[in-house]
């Protein structure tokens, strides 16, 4: 009874600890809806997440929200810096928690890469890969491939071309295993750009064409436009560049205006200044400041070709202004990052205070439960003592009864043992009688003569039982040792006829060499081998 009460006490404490530490499941319907729309409508998913108030979510839902926001921001090509504090919290929350921990580490390395902290980003990549280990599930393989691809992009930014190619190969293998075609297409494109950096335009073109093949299957106009633009970059002749760049603009003339830059410079090389100016002006409508800067620089080159140096200087001024803005935006991003880091530190401090209060409350509750449980145990122990005498009397009677049964059991065992000894004695006498009968047979005498040969003699000189004599031996053994063979077949059903013959010959006390002669062989190793096989069959 006392052990049972202690078990109940520990069970209650275990439930309290489990409930306090349980991370729960995501039940917020808005989060689930945002996740469902993530692949097909990432902009709608982002809009839903922006409308969710974090204060209304549980701790587990907040961490889940942070991973979703980072994922949808990445899909919409938005900066991940705004997710930094949530990702930091997710890393602490999901530590050693498998796939979620790896996801949090992956988005953290992307934030570091965007901030120019490549060394730290690489460390987070390898932490995530170590967390995933050797996995076969599709989701883990997809995340693993994305991390390898990120490592390749970081290496490319550091001009480590060979190392980057190795990472892209690993990424492609992971995407193949999980059937993630978008990842395969992206990896093909990255490998193409890698070869382009090495100056191998032929290999780059092959990979860009493979990328185009995958995106054409998806019928994604934006992705097709980008693939055609990438393919145009692998050609050196102006006609091919113009052909693929125009296809890029035909599929998407808003989000792929870098192709207009390629067209502008292609027409400059062909001497068609008006066409070049048209496409550079078209590139100015791009929302990306880098593309607009390239467009102004292209217009500057156009004006210089036209010998309009005043306008060329104006375009150069516009180009410089945009480049200064880009520089100041990067500086501003670094300041924002510091602000986010400070906010994270404050959140961590508040979380620690809250955890201390919660832990103190839990300890007080546990102490009260223990106190009341001890009082209950003492009351139960007193009641148990009152019942102890009656229980001991019953146990004494039971032990006396058990002792009587054991005495009778010992007598029965002795009688059984005596009968078994008698049966064994009769079996031995019967086996000796069979041996005496066998010794009077002609085949026995023939074997006895063969046994007189020297074991070390040359193999050609040793005489063995011929096939006709072996048949006589088998027939004789089968008749004389019929009961023993029946016993062997019943006790060891897997024994063969040769195994039974070997067992009967062994009863005669012959050595391995003599038994080998009975099987028509002069090498006693066959007897050792048969003995081993019989041992294996009898143990099955």
């Amino acid at each position: 009874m006392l052990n049972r009460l202690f078990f109940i006490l520990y069970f209650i404490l275990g439930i309290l600890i489990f409930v306090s530490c349980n991370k729960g499941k995501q039940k917020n319907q808005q989060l689930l809806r945002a996740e469902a729309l993530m692949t097909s409508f990432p902009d709608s998913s982002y809009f839903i997440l922006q409308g969710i108030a974090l204060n209304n979510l549980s701790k587990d839902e907040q961490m889940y929200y942070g991973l979703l926001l980072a994922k949808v921001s990445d899909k919409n090509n938005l900066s991940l810096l705004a997710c930094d504090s949530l990702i930091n919290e997710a890393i602490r929350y999901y530590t050693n928690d498998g796939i979620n921990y790896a996801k949090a580490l992956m988005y953290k390395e992307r934030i570091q890469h965007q901030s120019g902290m490549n060394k730290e980003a690489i460390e987070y990549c390898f932490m995530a890969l170590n967390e995933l280990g050797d996995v076969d599930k599709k989701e883990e393989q997809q995340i693993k491939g994305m991390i390898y691809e990120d490592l390749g992009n970081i290496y490319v930014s550091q001009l480590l071309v060979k190392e980057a190619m190795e990472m892209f190969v690993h990424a492609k293998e992971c995407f193949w295993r999980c059937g993630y075609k978008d990842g395969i297409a992206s990896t093909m494109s990255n490998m193409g750009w890698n070869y382009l950096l090495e100056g191998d335009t032929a290999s780059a073109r092959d990979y860009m064409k493979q990328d185009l093949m995958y995106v054409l299957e998806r019928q994604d106009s934006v992705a097709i436009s980008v693939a055609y633009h990438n393919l145009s970059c692998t050609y050196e002749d102006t006609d091919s560049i113009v052909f693929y760049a125009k296809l890029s603009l035909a599929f998407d003339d808003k989000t792929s205006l870098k192709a207009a830059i390629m067209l502008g410079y292609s027409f400059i090389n062909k001497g068609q200044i008006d066409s070049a100016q048209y496409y550079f002006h078209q590139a100015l409508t791009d929302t990306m400041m880098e593309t607009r800067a390239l467009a102004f620089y292209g217009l500057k080159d156009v004006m210089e070709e036209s010998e309009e140096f005043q306008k060329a200087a104006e375009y150069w001024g516009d180009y410089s202004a945009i480049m200064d803005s880009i520089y100041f935006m990067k500086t501003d991003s670094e300041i924002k990052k510091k602000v986010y880091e400070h906010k994270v530190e404050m959140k961590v401090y508040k979380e620690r205070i809250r955890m201390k209060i919660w832990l103190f409350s839990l300890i007080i509750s546990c102490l009260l439960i223990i106190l009341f449980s001890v009082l209950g145990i003492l009351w139960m122990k007193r009641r148990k003592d009152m019942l102890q005498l009656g229980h001991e009397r019953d146990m004494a009677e039971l032990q006396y009864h058990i002792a009587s049964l054991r005495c009778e059991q010992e007598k029965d065992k002795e009688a059984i043992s005596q009968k078994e000894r008698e049966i064994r004695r009769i079996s031995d006498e019967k086996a000796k009688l069979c041996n005496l009968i066998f010794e009077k047979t002609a085949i026995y005498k023939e074997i006895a003569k063969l046994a007189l040969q020297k074991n070390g003699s040359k193999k050609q000189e040793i005489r063995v039982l011929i096939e006709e004599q072996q048949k006589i031996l088998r027939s004789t053994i089968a008749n004389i040792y019929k009961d023993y063979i029946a016993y062997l077949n019943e006790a060891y059903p897997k024994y063969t006829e040769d195994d039974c013959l070997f067992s009967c010959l062994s009863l005669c006390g012959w050595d391995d060499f003599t038994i080998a002669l009975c099987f028509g062989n002069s090498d006693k190793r066959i007897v050792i081998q048969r003995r081993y096989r019989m041992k294996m069959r009898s143990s099955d």
Side-chain angles (χ1 to χ4, degrees):
M1 183 63 73
L2 184 61
N3 292 334
R4 185 180 296 177
L5 288 173
F6 274 115
F7 172 77
I8 295 172
L9 175 60
Y10 292 143
F11 180 73
I12 293 171
L13 291 176
I15 291 176
L16 289 173
I17 295 172
F18 176 77
V19 171
S20 63
C21 299
N22 185 27
K23 295 178 180 179
K25 296 182 179 180
Q26 291 78 23
K27 296 181 180 179
N28 187 285
Q29 294 300 316
Q30 287 181 295
L31 291 178
L32 296 176
R33 185 163 176 265
E35 184 180 23
L37 296 172
M38 186 77 66
T39 303
S40 303
F41 303 100
D43 50 347
S44 301
S45 179
Y46 181 77
F47 178 76
I48 292 172
L49 291 176
Q50 289 295 312
I52 297 177
L54 283 176
N55 296 334
N56 298 331
L57 301 178
S58 65
K59 182 68 175 181
D60 186 64
E61 289 172 342
Q62 288 178 6
M63 299 302 101
Y64 182 58
Y65 172 87
L67 292 180
L68 287 181
L69 183 62
K71 183 177 180 180
V72 76
S73 298
D74 199 36
K75 280 186 171 291
N76 285 293
N77 297 317
L78 300 174
S79 174
L80 292 173
L81 188 60
C83 308
D84 193 27
S85 59
L86 290 171
I87 293 300
N88 288 337
E89 287 288 333
I91 289 174
R92 282 187 287 271
Y93 185 75
Y94 290 119
T95 299
N96 301 323
D97 191 24
I99 184 65
N100 287 329
Y101 184 49
K103 286 180 181 179
L105 292 172
M106 180 186 71
Y107 291 122
K108 182 62 180 180
E109 62 88 358
R110 292 185 176 183
I111 293 171
Q112 300 283 29
H113 181 50
Q114 289 180 3
S115 302
M117 303 169 69
N118 292 321
K119 180 180 177 181
E120 292 81 358
I122 291 173
E123 290 177 356
Y124 278 107
C125 282
F126 284 112
M127 287 172 62
L129 290 174
N130 290 334
E131 181 66 22
L132 291 172
D134 296 328
V135 293
D136 295 325
K137 293 182 179 179
K138 286 189 175 182
E139 185 178 12
E140 280 84 347
Q141 284 287 351
Q142 182 176 337
I143 296 299
K144 201 172 182 179
M146 294 166 70
I147 295 169
Y148 275 125
E149 189 175 14
D150 289 349
L151 269 174
N153 289 325
I154 295 172
Y155 288 154
V156 168
S157 68
Q158 303 300 307
L159 301 180
L160 301 173
V161 180
K162 291 183 179 179
E163 291 81 356
M165 184 59 71
E166 184 179 351
M167 294 300 107
F168 289 139
V169 170
H170 288 318
K172 185 178 73 173
E173 291 174 353
C174 293
F175 291 142
W176 268 114
R177 292 192 192 102
C178 65
Y180 184 47
K181 292 188 177 181
D182 290 354
I184 297 173
S186 175
T187 307
M188 292 295 183
S189 175
N190 286 325
M191 294 172 78
W193 280 108
N194 216 33
Y195 277 115
L196 201 59
L197 287 174
E198 290 183 316
D200 188 353
T201 55
S203 298
R205 193 174 304 124
D206 290 339
Y207 278 100
M208 294 302 186
K209 286 180 178 179
Q210 292 183 55
D211 170 37
L212 179 62
M213 178 183 67
Y214 278 103
V215 298
L216 284 173
E217 289 181 6
R218 290 159 43 202
Q219 294 296 314
D220 186 344
S221 59
V222 176
I224 295 172
S225 177
V226 173
Y228 274 125
H229 168 259
N230 294 341
L231 189 57
S232 70
C233 296
T234 63
Y235 287 94
E236 297 176 358
D237 59 294
T238 306
D239 293 336
S240 297
I241 294 173
V242 171
F243 175 75
Y244 287 108
K246 283 186 176 181
L247 282 176
S248 176
L249 288 175
F251 274 93
D252 194 331
D253 59 354
K254 293 182 180 180
T255 60
S256 187
L257 289 174
K258 289 182 180 179
I261 302 293
M262 294 292 295
L263 283 169
Y265 277 106
S266 298
F267 282 118
I268 287 178
N269 294 333
K270 296 178 70 172
Q272 300 178 17
I273 304 302
D274 292 339
S275 298
Q277 187 174 3
Y278 168 78
Y279 283 109
F280 282 133
H281 276 295
Q282 186 177 357
L284 285 177
T285 61
D286 197 349
T287 56
M288 293 184 63
M289 298 182 70
E290 291 82 358
T291 306
R292 295 182 63 200
L294 291 173
F296 278 123
Y297 195 88
L299 287 170
K300 187 267 295 183
D301 290 340
V302 169
M303 294 299 104
E304 288 179 351
E305 289 288 331
S306 303
E307 297 184 354
E308 297 183 24
F309 298 106
Q310 180 65 33
K311 289 186 176 180
E314 292 176 2
Y315 285 129
W316 173 256
D318 294 333
Y319 167 77
S320 300
I322 290 178
M323 293 304 294
D324 291 339
S325 299
I326 292 173
Y327 171 77
F328 285 120
M329 284 180 65
K330 289 183 177 179
T331 305
D332 184 56
S333 296
E334 292 179 357
I335 295 172
K336 287 181 178 179
K337 186 175 183 300
K338 293 294 182 183
V339 172
Y340 279 121
E341 288 178 354
H342 175 70
K343 288 182 178 180
V344 170
E345 290 175 358
M346 291 301 297
K347 285 184 178 180
V348 170
Y349 174 74
K350 291 179 180 178
E351 184 67 18
R352 286 177 180 172
I353 296 297
R354 189 181 69 82
M355 287 299 295
K356 286 181 179 179
I357 295 173
W358 176 84
L359 185 60
F360 179 76
S361 302
L362 179 63
I363 291 172
I364 295 298
S365 300
C366 291
L367 290 175
L368 290 173
I369 292 173
I370 292 171
L371 177 62
F372 286 113
S373 300
V374 168
L375 292 175
I377 290 169
L378 292 174
W379 179 80
M380 293 298 294
K381 188 176 182 301
R382 184 180 177 183
R383 185 172 179 271
K384 180 182 177 181
D385 292 338
M386 294 173 65
L387 298 173
Q388 188 68 28
L389 292 174
H391 177 70
E392 289 177 355
R393 183 189 60 194
D394 295 338
M395 287 298 296
E397 292 178 357
L398 180 61
Q399 288 175 0
Y400 174 78
H401 183 63
I402 292 173
S404 300
L405 292 176
R406 284 178 179 174
C407 184
E408 292 177 3
Q409 187 179 16
E410 291 297 329
K411 291 179 181 178
D412 293 340
K413 285 183 179 179
E414 182 62 30
I416 292 171
S417 298
Q418 187 175 357
K419 289 181 180 179
E420 288 177 348
R421 287 193 295 269
E422 184 67 21
I423 292 171
R424 193 178 301 112
R425 184 182 62 79
I426 294 172
S427 299
D428 292 340
E429 291 178 356
K430 192 173 183 181
K432 290 178 182 179
L433 180 61
C434 291
N435 289 342
L436 291 174
I437 297 171
F438 182 46
E439 288 174 0
K440 294 178 181 180
T441 62
I443 192 65
Y444 179 89
K445 295 175 181 178
E446 180 64 27
I447 295 171
K449 290 179 183 179
L450 295 177
L452 296 176
Q453 301 176 96
K454 293 183 178 180
N455 187 12
S457 301
K458 292 183 179 179
K459 187 175 182 181
Q460 295 82 357
E461 299 176 355
I462 298 175
R463 291 180 298 108
V464 299
L465 285 184
I466 61 176
E467 185 176 352
E468 186 65 28
Q469 291 174 324
Q470 290 180 36
K471 290 181 179 178
I472 295 171
L473 174 63
R474 292 177 185 271
S475 176
T476 303
I477 290 293
N479 291 328
I480 296 174
Y481 294 93
K482 180 173 61 176
D483 293 339
Y484 183 64
I485 292 172
Y487 160 73
L488 290 176
N489 289 329
E490 182 180 354
Y492 308 105
K494 293 189 177 181
Y495 272 16
T496 63
E497 183 181 349
D498 287 344
D499 293 338
C500 293
L501 176 60
F502 173 79
S503 299
C504 294
L505 293 174
S506 298
L507 292 175
C508 297
W510 283 332
D511 58 10
D512 292 350
F513 174 69
T514 304
I515 296 175
L517 297 177
C518 296
F519 282 94
N521 200 308
S522 60
D523 190 353
K524 65 180 182 180
R525 285 181 294 182
I526 67 164
V527 177
I528 298 172
Q529 293 173 358
R530 179 164 299 282
R531 187 179 289 116
Y532 174 74
R533 287 196 296 270
M534 290 173 64
K535 182 179 179 181
M536 295 301 293
R537 290 188 184 112
S538 61
S539 62
D540 289 345

